[in-house]
Amino acid sequence: MSSPEIASLSWGQMKVKGCPTTYKDCKVWPGGSRTWDWRETGTNHSPGVQPADLEEVVKKGVKTVVIGRGMSEALQVPSSTVDYLKKNGIDVLVLQTEKAVEEYNVLAAQGVKVGGIFHSTC
């Protein structure tokens, strides 16, 4: 099962190929995607992305996770989150969201089992 391409990104909106939903923030993995609802884990810009935000993506068997920090990189990614991924044998890239989406799409096109979590504002 391949990771879906992110078809478009603009401020506050993301579209995943093959999915009718327009996301503000989303999670993607091989074979699927869904809204990333920060309220599920109490996420906020600071301290930022928590390991709990990534558990679902990790469980999909990804080898690489790309984290999009927002258009202005306001979303933090603490070292504990990066450490969580590395301890699970997962490569991690933390980038500004436009760059993160570009990198994610390159990896997905190469057939890498890649997942991502992206914030499309701030």
Side-chain angles (χ1 to χ4, degrees):
M1 201 171 300
S2 61
S3 298
E5 175 188 348
I6 297 176
S8 66
L9 169 68
S10 60
W11 184 272
Q13 296 188 76
M14 298 176 69
K15 294 285 290 174
V16 175
K17 190 173 184 176
C19 179
T21 305
T22 298
Y23 300 113
K24 176 183 169 217
D25 301 316
C26 76
K27 297 180 181 187
V28 290
W29 58 81
S33 65
R34 79 168 181 92
T35 295
W36 175 23
D37 183 349
W38 291 20
R39 293 172 294 188
E40 292 173 356
T41 57
T43 296
N44 209 323
H45 286 100
S46 181
V49 181
Q50 303 301 301
D53 293 312
L54 293 161
E55 284 176 1
E56 177 179 19
V57 176
V58 168
K59 287 179 182 174
K60 303 295 184 179
V62 298
K63 301 295 179 208
T64 302
V65 167
V66 181
I67 300 172
R69 294 189 50 214
M71 300 301 219
S72 303
E73 299 185 271
L75 180 61
Q76 301 300 303
V77 180
S79 59
S80 58
T81 299
V82 172
D83 291 345
Y84 162 75
L85 292 166
K86 289 182 177 180
K87 284 178 185 169
N88 280 282
I90 298 169
D91 293 328
V92 59
L93 298 169
V94 179
L95 302 163
Q96 184 268 354
T97 295
E98 290 164 308
K99 291 180 176 78
V101 166
E102 287 174 22
E103 189 63 29
Y104 168 87
N105 280 341
V106 166
L107 293 168
Q110 292 172 348
V112 174
K113 289 188 78 166
V114 62
I117 190 166
F118 303 102
H119 179 47
S120 71
T121 62
C122 303

mmCIF file with all atom_site columns, all heavy atoms in Angstrom, residues 52-72:
data_model
loop_
_atom_site.group_PDB
_atom_site.id
_atom_site.type_symbol
_atom_site.label_atom_id
_atom_site.label_alt_id
_atom_site.label_comp_id
_atom_site.label_asym_id
_atom_site.label_entity_id
_atom_site.label_seq_id
_atom_site.pdbx_PDB_ins_code
_atom_site.Cartn_x
_atom_site.Cartn_y
_atom_site.Cartn_z
_atom_site.occupancy
_atom_site.B_iso_or_equiv
_atom_site.pdbx_formal_charge
_atom_site.auth_seq_id
_atom_site.auth_comp_id
_atom_site.auth_asym_id
_atom_site.auth_atom_id
_atom_site.pdbx_PDB_model_num
ATOM 1   N N   . ALA A 1 52 ? 2.069  11.388 21.270 1.00 0.00 ? 52 ALA A N   1
ATOM 2   C CA  . ALA A 1 52 ? 0.687  10.901 21.131 1.00 0.00 ? 52 ALA A CA  1
ATOM 3   C C   . ALA A 1 52 ? 0.066  11.327 19.799 1.00 0.00 ? 52 ALA A C   1
ATOM 4   O O   . ALA A 1 52 ? -0.792 10.613 19.264 1.00 0.00 ? 52 ALA A O   1
ATOM 5   C CB  . ALA A 1 52 ? -0.161 11.406 22.295 1.00 0.00 ? 52 ALA A CB  1
ATOM 6   N N   . ASP A 1 53 ? 0.498  12.461 19.252 1.00 0.00 ? 53 ASP A N   1
ATOM 7   C CA  . ASP A 1 53 ? -0.009 12.909 17.951 1.00 0.00 ? 53 ASP A CA  1
ATOM 8   C C   . ASP A 1 53 ? 0.428  11.973 16.836 1.00 0.00 ? 53 ASP A C   1
ATOM 9   O O   . ASP A 1 53 ? -0.218 11.888 15.795 1.00 0.00 ? 53 ASP A O   1
ATOM 10  C CB  . ASP A 1 53 ? 0.496  14.327 17.625 1.00 0.00 ? 53 ASP A CB  1
ATOM 11  C CG  . ASP A 1 53 ? -0.066 15.384 18.555 1.00 0.00 ? 53 ASP A CG  1
ATOM 12  O OD1 . ASP A 1 53 ? -1.290 15.385 18.772 1.00 0.00 ? 53 ASP A OD1 1
ATOM 13  O OD2 . ASP A 1 53 ? 0.720  16.201 19.058 1.00 0.00 ? 53 ASP A OD2 1
ATOM 14  N N   . LEU A 1 54 ? 1.550  11.291 17.041 1.00 0.00 ? 54 LEU A N   1
ATOM 15  C CA  . LEU A 1 54 ? 2.151  10.459 15.989 1.00 0.00 ? 54 LEU A CA  1
ATOM 16  C C   . LEU A 1 54 ? 1.908  8.966  16.145 1.00 0.00 ? 54 LEU A C   1
ATOM 17  O O   . LEU A 1 54 ? 2.201  8.199  15.231 1.00 0.00 ? 54 LEU A O   1
ATOM 18  C CB  . LEU A 1 54 ? 3.652  10.734 15.939 1.00 0.00 ? 54 LEU A CB  1
ATOM 19  C CG  . LEU A 1 54 ? 3.994  12.147 15.475 1.00 0.00 ? 54 LEU A CG  1
ATOM 20  C CD1 . LEU A 1 54 ? 5.398  12.511 15.875 1.00 0.00 ? 54 LEU A CD1 1
ATOM 21  C CD2 . LEU A 1 54 ? 3.791  12.268 13.990 1.00 0.00 ? 54 LEU A CD2 1
ATOM 22  N N   . GLU A 1 55 ? 1.363  8.540  17.282 1.00 0.00 ? 55 GLU A N   1
ATOM 23  C CA  . GLU A 1 55 ? 1.171  7.112  17.538 1.00 0.00 ? 55 GLU A CA  1
ATOM 24  C C   . GLU A 1 55 ? 0.412  6.417  16.412 1.00 0.00 ? 55 GLU A C   1
ATOM 25  O O   . GLU A 1 55 ? 0.794  5.333  15.965 1.00 0.00 ? 55 GLU A O   1
ATOM 26  C CB  . GLU A 1 55 ? 0.453  6.890  18.865 1.00 0.00 ? 55 GLU A CB  1
ATOM 27  C CG  . GLU A 1 55 ? 1.342  7.092  20.058 1.00 0.00 ? 55 GLU A CG  1
ATOM 28  C CD  . GLU A 1 55 ? 0.594  6.956  21.381 1.00 0.00 ? 55 GLU A CD  1
ATOM 29  O OE1 . GLU A 1 55 ? -0.626 6.683  21.378 1.00 0.00 ? 55 GLU A OE1 1
ATOM 30  O OE2 . GLU A 1 55 ? 1.253  7.139  22.414 1.00 0.00 ? 55 GLU A OE2 1
ATOM 31  N N   . GLU A 1 56 ? -0.675 7.022  15.970 1.00 0.00 ? 56 GLU A N   1
ATOM 32  C CA  . GLU A 1 56 ? -1.495 6.425  14.921 1.00 0.00 ? 56 GLU A CA  1
ATOM 33  C C   . GLU A 1 56 ? -0.695 6.216  13.635 1.00 0.00 ? 56 GLU A C   1
ATOM 34  O O   . GLU A 1 56 ? -0.780 5.166  12.997 1.00 0.00 ? 56 GLU A O   1
ATOM 35  C CB  . GLU A 1 56 ? -2.705 7.327  14.647 1.00 0.00 ? 56 GLU A CB  1
ATOM 36  C CG  . GLU A 1 56 ? -3.603 6.857  13.542 1.00 0.00 ? 56 GLU A CG  1
ATOM 37  C CD  . GLU A 1 56 ? -4.784 7.774  13.323 1.00 0.00 ? 56 GLU A CD  1
ATOM 38  O OE1 . GLU A 1 56 ? -4.746 8.954  13.764 1.00 0.00 ? 56 GLU A OE1 1
ATOM 39  O OE2 . GLU A 1 56 ? -5.756 7.319  12.708 1.00 0.00 ? 56 GLU A OE2 1
ATOM 40  N N   . VAL A 1 57 ? 0.099  7.195  13.263 1.00 0.00 ? 57 VAL A N   1
ATOM 41  C CA  . VAL A 1 57 ? 0.912  7.111  12.052 1.00 0.00 ? 57 VAL A CA  1
ATOM 42  C C   . VAL A 1 57 ? 2.000  6.043  12.220 1.00 0.00 ? 57 VAL A C   1
ATOM 43  O O   . VAL A 1 57 ? 2.238  5.241  11.315 1.00 0.00 ? 57 VAL A O   1
ATOM 44  C CB  . VAL A 1 57 ? 1.517  8.488  11.698 1.00 0.00 ? 57 VAL A CB  1
ATOM 45  C CG1 . VAL A 1 57 ? 2.448  8.399  10.511 1.00 0.00 ? 57 VAL A CG1 1
ATOM 46  C CG2 . VAL A 1 57 ? 0.404  9.504  11.427 1.00 0.00 ? 57 VAL A CG2 1
ATOM 47  N N   . VAL A 1 58 ? 2.632  6.008  13.376 1.00 0.00 ? 58 VAL A N   1
ATOM 48  C CA  . VAL A 1 58 ? 3.680  5.022  13.655 1.00 0.00 ? 58 VAL A CA  1
ATOM 49  C C   . VAL A 1 58 ? 3.125  3.600  13.544 1.00 0.00 ? 58 VAL A C   1
ATOM 50  O O   . VAL A 1 58 ? 3.761  2.711  12.980 1.00 0.00 ? 58 VAL A O   1
ATOM 51  C CB  . VAL A 1 58 ? 4.308  5.275  15.048 1.00 0.00 ? 58 VAL A CB  1
ATOM 52  C CG1 . VAL A 1 58 ? 5.175  4.115  15.488 1.00 0.00 ? 58 VAL A CG1 1
ATOM 53  C CG2 . VAL A 1 58 ? 5.115  6.574  15.028 1.00 0.00 ? 58 VAL A CG2 1
ATOM 54  N N   . LYS A 1 59 ? 1.915  3.392  14.051 1.00 0.00 ? 59 LYS A N   1
ATOM 55  C CA  . LYS A 1 59 ? 1.291  2.063  14.034 1.00 0.00 ? 59 LYS A CA  1
ATOM 56  C C   . LYS A 1 59 ? 0.994  1.566  12.616 1.00 0.00 ? 59 LYS A C   1
ATOM 57  O O   . LYS A 1 59 ? 0.723  0.385  12.432 1.00 0.00 ? 59 LYS A O   1
ATOM 58  C CB  . LYS A 1 59 ? 0.013  2.069  14.868 1.00 0.00 ? 59 LYS A CB  1
ATOM 59  C CG  . LYS A 1 59 ? 0.285  2.126  16.354 1.00 0.00 ? 59 LYS A CG  1
ATOM 60  C CD  . LYS A 1 59 ? -1.000 2.167  17.145 1.00 0.00 ? 59 LYS A CD  1
ATOM 61  C CE  . LYS A 1 59 ? -0.693 2.280  18.637 1.00 0.00 ? 59 LYS A CE  1
ATOM 62  N NZ  . LYS A 1 59 ? -1.900 2.463  19.429 1.00 0.00 ? 59 LYS A NZ  1
ATOM 63  N N   . LYS A 1 60 ? 1.058  2.451  11.635 1.00 0.00 ? 60 LYS A N   1
ATOM 64  C CA  . LYS A 1 60 ? 0.803  2.065  10.244 1.00 0.00 ? 60 LYS A CA  1
ATOM 65  C C   . LYS A 1 60 ? 2.040  1.463  9.587  1.00 0.00 ? 60 LYS A C   1
ATOM 66  O O   . LYS A 1 60 ? 2.031  1.132  8.409  1.00 0.00 ? 60 LYS A O   1
ATOM 67  C CB  . LYS A 1 60 ? 0.309  3.264  9.425  1.00 0.00 ? 60 LYS A CB  1
ATOM 68  C CG  . LYS A 1 60 ? -0.932 3.928  9.973  1.00 0.00 ? 60 LYS A CG  1
ATOM 69  C CD  . LYS A 1 60 ? -2.140 3.027  9.939  1.00 0.00 ? 60 LYS A CD  1
ATOM 70  C CE  . LYS A 1 60 ? -3.372 3.799  10.417 1.00 0.00 ? 60 LYS A CE  1
ATOM 71  N NZ  . LYS A 1 60 ? -4.578 3.010  10.396 1.00 0.00 ? 60 LYS A NZ  1
ATOM 72  N N   . GLY A 1 61 ? 3.142  1.357  10.338 1.00 0.00 ? 61 GLY A N   1
ATOM 73  C CA  . GLY A 1 61 ? 4.345  0.708  9.814  1.00 0.00 ? 61 GLY A CA  1
ATOM 74  C C   . GLY A 1 61 ? 5.218  1.581  8.937  1.00 0.00 ? 61 GLY A C   1
ATOM 75  O O   . GLY A 1 61 ? 5.957  1.081  8.091  1.00 0.00 ? 61 GLY A O   1
ATOM 76  N N   . VAL A 1 62 ? 5.174  2.893  9.158  1.00 0.00 ? 62 VAL A N   1
ATOM 77  C CA  . VAL A 1 62 ? 5.982  3.809  8.351  1.00 0.00 ? 62 VAL A CA  1
ATOM 78  C C   . VAL A 1 62 ? 7.462  3.680  8.690  1.00 0.00 ? 62 VAL A C   1
ATOM 79  O O   . VAL A 1 62 ? 7.827  3.300  9.801  1.00 0.00 ? 62 VAL A O   1
ATOM 80  C CB  . VAL A 1 62 ? 5.513  5.275  8.505  1.00 0.00 ? 62 VAL A CB  1
ATOM 81  C CG1 . VAL A 1 62 ? 4.086  5.445  8.026  1.00 0.00 ? 62 VAL A CG1 1
ATOM 82  C CG2 . VAL A 1 62 ? 5.656  5.753  9.941  1.00 0.00 ? 62 VAL A CG2 1
ATOM 83  N N   . LYS A 1 63 ? 8.293  4.003  7.727  1.00 0.00 ? 63 LYS A N   1
ATOM 84  C CA  . LYS A 1 63 ? 9.748  4.010  7.917  1.00 0.00 ? 63 LYS A CA  1
ATOM 85  C C   . LYS A 1 63 ? 10.274 5.436  8.103  1.00 0.00 ? 63 LYS A C   1
ATOM 86  O O   . LYS A 1 63 ? 11.346 5.643  8.659  1.00 0.00 ? 63 LYS A O   1
ATOM 87  C CB  . LYS A 1 63 ? 10.452 3.372  6.717  1.00 0.00 ? 63 LYS A CB  1
ATOM 88  C CG  . LYS A 1 63 ? 10.033 1.940  6.468  1.00 0.00 ? 63 LYS A CG  1
ATOM 89  C CD  . LYS A 1 63 ? 10.453 1.044  7.605  1.00 0.00 ? 63 LYS A CD  1
ATOM 90  C CE  . LYS A 1 63 ? 10.023 -0.391 7.370  1.00 0.00 ? 63 LYS A CE  1
ATOM 91  N NZ  . LYS A 1 63 ? 9.812  -1.116 8.595  1.00 0.00 ? 63 LYS A NZ  1
ATOM 92  N N   . THR A 1 64 ? 9.496  6.403  7.606  1.00 0.00 ? 64 THR A N   1
ATOM 93  C CA  . THR A 1 64 ? 9.869  7.815  7.697  1.00 0.00 ? 64 THR A CA  1
ATOM 94  C C   . THR A 1 64 ? 8.619  8.615  8.053  1.00 0.00 ? 64 THR A C   1
ATOM 95  O O   . THR A 1 64 ? 7.532  8.317  7.555  1.00 0.00 ? 64 THR A O   1
ATOM 96  C CB  . THR A 1 64 ? 10.428 8.330  6.355  1.00 0.00 ? 64 THR A CB  1
ATOM 97  O OG1 . THR A 1 64 ? 11.563 7.536  5.988  1.00 0.00 ? 64 THR A OG1 1
ATOM 98  C CG2 . THR A 1 64 ? 10.844 9.791  6.434  1.00 0.00 ? 64 THR A CG2 1
ATOM 99  N N   . VAL A 1 65 ? 8.782  9.630  8.904  1.00 0.00 ? 65 VAL A N   1
ATOM 100 C CA  . VAL A 1 65 ? 7.703  10.567 9.219  1.00 0.00 ? 65 VAL A CA  1
ATOM 101 C C   . VAL A 1 65 ? 8.187  11.974 8.893  1.00 0.00 ? 65 VAL A C   1
ATOM 102 O O   . VAL A 1 65 ? 9.296  12.362 9.268  1.00 0.00 ? 65 VAL A O   1
ATOM 103 C CB  . VAL A 1 65 ? 7.276  10.486 10.705 1.00 0.00 ? 65 VAL A CB  1
ATOM 104 C CG1 . VAL A 1 65 ? 6.385  11.661 11.084 1.00 0.00 ? 65 VAL A CG1 1
ATOM 105 C CG2 . VAL A 1 65 ? 6.566  9.172  10.990 1.00 0.00 ? 65 VAL A CG2 1
ATOM 106 N N   . VAL A 1 66 ? 7.330  12.705 8.184  1.00 0.00 ? 66 VAL A N   1
ATOM 107 C CA  . VAL A 1 66 ? 7.611  14.101 7.861  1.00 0.00 ? 66 VAL A CA  1
ATOM 108 C C   . VAL A 1 66 ? 6.641  14.955 8.682  1.00 0.00 ? 66 VAL A C   1
ATOM 109 O O   . VAL A 1 66 ? 5.431  14.727 8.650  1.00 0.00 ? 66 VAL A O   1
ATOM 110 C CB  . VAL A 1 66 ? 7.440  14.381 6.353  1.00 0.00 ? 66 VAL A CB  1
ATOM 111 C CG1 . VAL A 1 66 ? 7.772  15.832 6.046  1.00 0.00 ? 66 VAL A CG1 1
ATOM 112 C CG2 . VAL A 1 66 ? 8.303  13.439 5.525  1.00 0.00 ? 66 VAL A CG2 1
ATOM 113 N N   . ILE A 1 67 ? 7.192  15.911 9.417  1.00 0.00 ? 67 ILE A N   1
ATOM 114 C CA  . ILE A 1 67 ? 6.383  16.803 10.252 1.00 0.00 ? 67 ILE A CA  1
ATOM 115 C C   . ILE A 1 67 ? 6.439  18.201 9.666  1.00 0.00 ? 67 ILE A C   1
ATOM 116 O O   . ILE A 1 67 ? 7.527  18.766 9.508  1.00 0.00 ? 67 ILE A O   1
ATOM 117 C CB  . ILE A 1 67 ? 6.895  16.818 11.709 1.00 0.00 ? 67 ILE A CB  1
ATOM 118 C CG1 . ILE A 1 67 ? 6.836  15.411 12.313 1.00 0.00 ? 67 ILE A CG1 1
ATOM 119 C CG2 . ILE A 1 67 ? 6.084  17.812 12.545 1.00 0.00 ? 67 ILE A CG2 1
ATOM 120 C CD1 . ILE A 1 67 ? 7.490  15.293 13.680 1.00 0.00 ? 67 ILE A CD1 1
ATOM 121 N N   . GLY A 1 68 ? 5.261  18.752 9.354  1.00 0.00 ? 68 GLY A N   1
ATOM 122 C CA  . GLY A 1 68 ? 5.153  20.122 8.853  1.00 0.00 ? 68 GLY A CA  1
ATOM 123 C C   . GLY A 1 68 ? 4.813  21.058 9.993  1.00 0.00 ? 68 GLY A C   1
ATOM 124 O O   . GLY A 1 68 ? 3.765  20.929 10.624 1.00 0.00 ? 68 GLY A O   1
ATOM 125 N N   . ARG A 1 69 ? 5.690  22.020 10.254 1.00 0.00 ? 69 ARG A N   1
ATOM 126 C CA  . ARG A 1 69 ? 5.577  22.911 11.417 1.00 0.00 ? 69 ARG A CA  1
ATOM 127 C C   . ARG A 1 69 ? 4.686  24.128 11.192 1.00 0.00 ? 69 ARG A C   1
ATOM 128 O O   . ARG A 1 69 ? 4.587  24.995 12.060 1.00 0.00 ? 69 ARG A O   1
ATOM 129 C CB  . ARG A 1 69 ? 6.956  23.406 11.826 1.00 0.00 ? 69 ARG A CB  1
ATOM 130 C CG  . ARG A 1 69 ? 7.846  22.294 12.348 1.00 0.00 ? 69 ARG A CG  1
ATOM 131 C CD  . ARG A 1 69 ? 9.119  22.834 12.939 1.00 0.00 ? 69 ARG A CD  1
ATOM 132 N NE  . ARG A 1 69 ? 8.826  23.905 13.877 1.00 0.00 ? 69 ARG A NE  1
ATOM 133 C CZ  . ARG A 1 69 ? 9.611  24.961 14.068 1.00 0.00 ? 69 ARG A CZ  1
ATOM 134 N NH1 . ARG A 1 69 ? 10.730 25.098 13.393 1.00 0.00 ? 69 ARG A NH1 1
ATOM 135 N NH2 . ARG A 1 69 ? 9.289  25.890 14.938 1.00 0.00 ? 69 ARG A NH2 1
ATOM 136 N N   . GLY A 1 70 ? 4.034  24.217 10.046 1.00 0.00 ? 70 GLY A N   1
ATOM 137 C CA  . GLY A 1 70 ? 3.213  25.376 9.740  1.00 0.00 ? 70 GLY A CA  1
ATOM 138 C C   . GLY A 1 70 ? 3.908  26.264 8.723  1.00 0.00 ? 70 GLY A C   1
ATOM 139 O O   . GLY A 1 70 ? 5.100  26.122 8.453  1.00 0.00 ? 70 GLY A O   1
ATOM 140 N N   . MET A 1 71 ? 3.134  27.166 8.145  1.00 0.00 ? 71 MET A N   1
ATOM 141 C CA  . MET A 1 71 ? 3.658  28.040 7.090  1.00 0.00 ? 71 MET A CA  1
ATOM 142 C C   . MET A 1 71 ? 4.728  28.992 7.618  1.00 0.00 ? 71 MET A C   1
ATOM 143 O O   . MET A 1 71 ? 5.669  29.317 6.917  1.00 0.00 ? 71 MET A O   1
ATOM 144 C CB  . MET A 1 71 ? 2.518  28.834 6.447  1.00 0.00 ? 71 MET A CB  1
ATOM 145 C CG  . MET A 1 71 ? 1.455  27.947 5.820  1.00 0.00 ? 71 MET A CG  1
ATOM 146 S SD  . MET A 1 71 ? 2.112  26.861 4.548  1.00 0.00 ? 71 MET A SD  1
ATOM 147 C CE  . MET A 1 71 ? 0.798  26.940 3.366  1.00 0.00 ? 71 MET A CE  1
ATOM 148 N N   . SER A 1 72 ? 4.586  29.422 8.869  1.00 0.00 ? 72 SER A N   1
ATOM 149 C CA  . SER A 1 72 ? 5.575  30.315 9.492  1.00 0.00 ? 72 SER A CA  1
ATOM 150 C C   . SER A 1 72 ? 6.386  29.597 10.557 1.00 0.00 ? 72 SER A C   1
ATOM 151 O O   . SER A 1 72 ? 7.053  30.241 11.364 1.00 0.00 ? 72 SER A O   1
ATOM 152 C CB  . SER A 1 72 ? 4.867  31.519 10.114 1.00 0.00 ? 72 SER A CB  1
ATOM 153 O OG  . SER A 1 72 ? 4.117  32.208 9.154  1.00 0.00 ? 72 SER A OG  1
#
